[in-house]
C-alpha cells in the first residue's frame, strides 16, 4: 500500500499532487530547495511592492483546475487580469490579441502557491540529492547528508535536467535516460523588472514582441492588487535563443541590453530608475509530444510537471492531477 509519499519540488505540480493525495488520507511531505514554495510562479520584492518575474498569467480551461484553486488557494488570492494584450506581426505592426480570461495571483503571483501550501508539511531549503531504495521503501538524502523517510513512494516535480541529476545520483540510470531527448529540453530565460517613475502610456499592457532580444513585455502595475506603487513596473522576458547565448553574461550587461531593446520595441527613450534581473535556467519546455506524467510502478516513483503537459501553469496542474488519479486508481 502507498501511504507515505515524498514530493520533490513545491511548484504548482508538487503542491497539486500534495493536496490531492492528502485529501485521500495519504501522508505527504514536500521538499523544496528554495526558501519558499512556488517554483516558477515567482515574484521578486522590489521597492514599492513586488514584480512577477516568472509566469505572467495563466489560463483556467480545465474545470477541475478552477475548482481546485477555489477550494485550496484561498479567497482573493487570484483573479482575472483584464490588461490588453498585443503582438507584433512580421512587419512589426502591433495587433490586439483576442480577449480571453487570464488569471494572476493577487497581489503577486506567489499568493496562490502560498495559499496552496498553507496546510502542507513543506521542508524548505532542502535540496534532495539522492533517493535511496530499501525495498520497498525510499529514504531521501539532502545535500547536507540529512535523511528523511521512510516513504512508500516518491514524486519528482523538478524540471527534467534537475530530475535527471537526481536519478543519476540515485543509481536510477534508466529513469535518467528517459529524460534525454526533446521532452527533457527546457529553454532558459532572462527576466528583468524595470521601474519607470511616470506611466509610459503604452497601448497594451502585455506585448509579445518580434525582436531578437525580447520575447515579452508586460506592465506589472496593471495587474490587480499592484496599484500601490507609483509609476509603472514593467517585466521584460528575453528571447530563449538570446537567453541561451547570454547564459553567462553578467546581469548588469544583460539588463542594459534588454532595456535598450525595450526602448526600441516601445519607441520610448525614458530610462528606468530601478531594475532587477533574474536568470531562469529552466523556463519553458520546447517539446510538443508530452505524455502528461510518468509512473514507474515497480519503483513507485512518479514524475509530474509542466514540461510533461503543455509547459504552462495549467499544464503543471493537469500533469500532477492526472498522476495522482492514476496512483489512486492503481
Ligand atoms: P516548477 O515551478 O519549476 O517547480 C519545481 C520546483 O522543484 C521548484 O520550486 C524547484 O526549486 C524545486 N526543485 C528542483 N529540484 C529540487 C531538488 N533536488 N530538491 C528540492 N526541490 C527541488 N506559464 C504560464 O502558464 N503562463 C506564462 O505566462 C508563463 N510565463 C513564464 C515565464 C517565465 C520566465 C518562466 C520561467 C515560466 C513561465 N511559465 C508560464 C511557465 C510556468 O511558470 C510553469 O509552467 C509552472 O510554474 C511550472 O510548475 P511546476 O510545478 O511544473 O515546476
Amino acid at each position: 500500500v502507498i501511504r507515505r509519499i515524498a514530493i520533490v519540488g513545491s511548484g504548482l505540480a508538487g503542491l497539486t499532487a500534495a493536496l490531492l493525495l492528502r485529501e485521500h488520507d495519504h501522508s505527504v511531505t514536500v521538499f523544496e530547495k528554495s526558501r519558499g514554495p512556488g517554483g516558477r510562479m515567482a515574484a521578486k520584492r522590489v521597492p514599492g511592492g513586488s514584480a512577477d518575474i516568472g509566469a505572467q498569467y495563466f489560463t483556467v480551461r480545465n474545470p477541475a483546475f478552477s475548482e481546485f484553486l477555489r477550494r485550496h488557494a484561498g479567497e482573493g488570492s487570484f483573479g482575472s487580469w483584464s490588461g490588453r494584450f498585443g503582438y507584433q506581426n512580421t512587419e512589426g505592426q502591433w495587433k490586439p490579441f483576442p480577449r480571453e480570461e487570464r488569471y494572476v495571483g493577487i497581489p503577486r503571483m506567489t499568493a496562490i502557491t502560498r495559499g496552496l501550501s498553507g496546510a502542507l508539511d513543506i521542508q524548505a531549503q532542502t535540496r534532495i540529492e539522492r533517493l535511496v531504495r530499501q525495498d520497498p521503501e525510499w529514504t531521501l538524502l539532502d545535500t547536507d547528508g540529512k535523511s528523511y523517510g521512510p516513504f512508500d513512494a516518491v514524486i519528482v516535480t523538478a524540471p527534467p535536467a534537475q530530475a535527471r541529476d537526481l536519478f543519476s545520483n540515485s543509481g536510477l540510470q534508466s529513469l535518467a535516460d528517459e529524460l534525454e531527448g526533446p521532452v527533457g529540453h527546457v529553454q532558459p530565460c532572462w527576466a528583468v523588472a524595470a521601474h519607470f517613475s511616470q506611466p509610459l502610456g503604452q497601448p497594451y499592457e502585455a506585448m509579445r514582441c518580434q525582436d531578437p532580444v525580447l520575447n515579452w513585455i508586460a506592465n506589472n502595475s496593471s495587474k490587480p492588487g499592484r496599484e500601490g506603487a507609483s509609476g509603472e513596473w514593467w517585466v521584460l522576458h528575453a528571447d530563449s535563443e538570446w537567453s541561451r547565448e547570454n547564459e553567462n553574461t553578467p546581469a548588469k550587461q544583460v539588463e542594459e541590453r534588454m532595456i535598450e531593446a525595450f526602448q526600441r520595441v516601445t519607441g520610448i527613450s525614458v530610462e528606468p530608475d530601478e531594475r532587477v534581473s533574474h536568470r531562469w535556467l529552466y523556463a519553458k519546455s520546447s517539446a510538443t509530444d508530452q505524455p502528461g506524467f510518468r509512473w514507474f510502478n515497480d519503483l513507485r516513483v512518479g514524475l509530474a510537471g509542466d514540461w510533461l503537459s503543455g509547459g504552462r501553469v495549467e499544464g503543471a496542474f493537469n500533469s500532477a492531477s492526472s498522476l495522482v488519479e492514476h496512483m489512486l486508481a492503481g
Side-chain angles (χ1 to χ4, degrees), residues 9 11-13 32-33 39-40 54 56-57 128 158 162 305-306 312-313:
L12 187 65
E32 171 56 53
K33 67 178 168 64
R40 281 171 280 161
Q56 296 293 290
Y57 69 93
I128 299 304
Q162 293 169 339
D306 69 326
R312 307 189 73 73
V313 167

Side-chain angles (χ1 to χ4, degrees), residues 161-181:
Q162 293 169 339
R164 198 156 52 214
D165 289 347
L166 179 58
F167 291 147
S168 291
N169 291 342
S170 312
L172 299 166
Q173 199 52 45
S174 60
L175 265 61
D177 291 344
E178 295 241 5
L179 305 182
E180 294 294 342

